[in-house]
Amino acid sequence: MKTIITLLLILLNSVNLSAQELTGKQLLDKSIQYHDPTGAWNTFNAEFTVRMKTPTASDRLSDIIINIPEEYFSVTAVRDTIKTVYTINKGVCNTNIAKDAPKQNRTPCETAALYKNYYTYLYGLPMKLKDEGTIISETVTKRTFKGKEYLVLQVNYTQKVGSDVWFFYFDPATYAMEVYQFFKGDPEAEGANTGEYILLTEEVLINKIKMPKNRAWYYNKDDGYLGTDILE
């Protein structure tokens, strides 16, 4: 029995040591291997539906098409009786917006580009962290968040891409991405009390990629609940 316990301790210690010795890029690669084991993201071509639930408004149902090889993106969103359609096909924008849709500060094509970047980035994670302009920290840290210990990867971006500072939380056993968090600048300085964190629960297999079914959004500053995106 003593020998078995000793072996178990050695194995556990070796797992912990391995996690501590991971570089940021190695951790990212392990997470990509978990979520996209066949490398399907680069040829992703699928349609899926996202229901957005918020505490202050009725649900918004969005039918989304992402076809990376054909450079095609489309989102058809319906809330109450209002329907909007935004499409970008090889860089060419087309929109169809209901007359009673809320007015926006952006042009329709600026909104289309915003939706394309938003949905492609979030549903392409963690694979999108391989994109140009992404700065992966070489240091992997351990952090307890909501009672669970994670391997945490800090990600910054070049000035051209953006100034937000992101943290991605991975399960130390499977390397599944379970939380991410961003700040509007350095969280120890001007970014303090800014940004949000997102809790990921359950999984759905789309185009051979394990994607989170639920994304629940909260403010960093006070844990205020913003809403949940649900894959249907």
Side-chain angles (χ1 to χ4, degrees), residues 7-232:
L7 286 172
L8 286 173
L9 288 172
I10 291 172
L11 288 172
L12 287 172
N13 287 333
S14 67
V15 169
N16 289 334
L17 182 60
S18 175
Q20 290 169 0
E21 290 179 343
L22 283 176
T23 66
K25 291 179 180 179
Q26 287 171 335
L27 175 57
L28 176 57
D29 286 342
K30 286 182 177 294
S31 183
I32 290 174
Q33 178 61 31
Y34 172 84
H35 286 281
D36 184 16
T38 65
W41 176 250
N42 289 334
T43 57
F44 188 85
N45 178 15
E47 181 175 359
F48 53 94
T49 301
V50 177
R51 181 179 297 276
M52 186 180 76
K53 302 182 75 68
T54 60
T56 58
S58 55
D59 292 0
R60 185 179 73 194
L61 201 63
S62 299
D63 292 320
I64 299 161
I65 301 173
I66 298 176
N67 186 331
I68 291 179
E70 294 297 322
E71 300 178 51
Y72 181 86
F73 169 83
S74 176
V75 55
T76 300
V78 178
R79 171 177 275 161
D80 299 324
T81 60
I82 299 173
K83 180 179 179 180
T84 58
V85 181
Y86 297 95
T87 300
I88 298 180
N89 186 3
K90 291 182 170 63
V92 178
C93 165
N94 285 288
T95 65
N96 187 348
I97 303 169
K99 292 181 179 180
D100 53 347
K103 300 298 181 183
Q104 299 194 26
N105 295 326
R106 305 178 187 86
T107 68
C109 283
E110 285 173 341
T111 301
L114 182 70
Y115 279 130
K116 175 180 180 291
N117 292 336
Y118 174 83
Y119 284 114
T120 304
Y121 180 78
L122 291 184
Y123 288 94
L125 288 172
M127 293 72 71
K128 290 289 288 179
L129 298 181
K130 291 281 189 176
D131 284 2
E132 185 178 353
T134 308
I135 303 170
I136 305 296
S137 173
E138 284 302 299
T139 303
V140 175
T141 60
K142 287 187 176 182
R143 187 180 303 176
T144 299
F145 192 82
K146 301 296 180 182
K148 178 174 177 176
E149 187 176 75
Y150 291 99
L151 300 179
V152 181
L153 181 64
Q154 180 175 335
V155 173
N156 294 69
Y157 291 91
T158 59
Q159 186 175 2
K160 183 179 178 180
V161 176
S163 59
D164 290 353
V165 180
W166 289 73
F167 295 89
F168 294 87
Y169 296 69
F170 302 97
D171 182 281
T174 65
Y175 305 107
M177 184 179 64
E178 295 187 355
V179 184
Y180 45 80
Q181 182 178 36
F182 69 91
F183 295 85
K184 297 292 183 180
D186 184 350
E188 302 298 326
E190 76 277 7
N193 295 320
T194 68
E196 300 157 16
Y197 65 87
I198 299 90
L199 304 181
L200 313 176
T201 55
E202 301 183 54
E203 288 180 345
V204 176
L205 196 65
I206 297 179
N207 220 62
K208 300 180 181 179
I209 297 173
K210 298 186 188 80
M211 294 186 177
K213 178 179 174 62
N214 308 303
R215 300 174 190 266
W217 299 71
Y218 299 84
Y219 285 120
N220 285 323
K221 61 182 178 180
D222 59 5
D223 295 319
Y225 173 66
L226 290 164
T228 302
D229 291 329
I230 304 168
L231 273 173
E232 295 195 338

